[in-house]
Amino acid sequence: MYVIRLPDGTLRVPHSVLADGGEGGSGPEPREGRIIADAYVEIGPGDPDYDRLLRESLTEDELEEKRRRWRDEDADLLRRFEEWKSDAPGEPDAAGENGD
């Protein structure tokens, strides 16, 4: 998750939220395990961490461009892997030997 800089100067900062299930857990029914969610907290220029977080923030457009590049690069990487896999003469044995 990234720090997102909104047009009005507010920063949307990732804040991981972790709630244990079962007794005392969130929600009307007890649950097994843990519930993990990611959320954002909005902070303004008056926040003590604002200046530090501002330096690493991205606009929503910059974040979308970054995601688009990842998708494009992932597709290229997957294509190259599939080509490599189809060109392989066979699966190597577990020891890395050719069986001689």
Side-chain angles (χ1 to χ4, degrees), residues 4-77:
I4 300 171
R5 184 174 60 252
L6 301 175
D8 68 355
T10 302
L11 299 180
R12 228 177 245 162
V13 181
H15 177 61
S16 294
V17 179
L18 175 66
D20 289 321
E23 284 186 40
S26 62
E29 299 177 15
R31 299 180 183 201
E32 293 183 19
R34 300 183 308 177
I35 300 169
I36 299 175
D38 291 317
Y40 283 95
V41 176
E42 290 188 358
I43 64 170
D47 190 280
D49 292 320
Y50 182 85
D51 290 334
R52 177 180 59 84
L53 295 169
L54 180 63
R55 289 191 298 271
E56 64 186 67
S57 67
L58 299 170
T59 65
E60 290 176 299
D61 290 339
E62 290 169 334
L63 183 57
E64 184 53 41
E65 174 63 20
K66 185 179 281 276
R67 287 180 178 151
R68 185 194 60 74
R69 281 196 327 262
W70 286 338
R71 285 189 301 266
D72 292 347
E73 291 168 6
D74 285 351
D76 183 51
L77 183 60

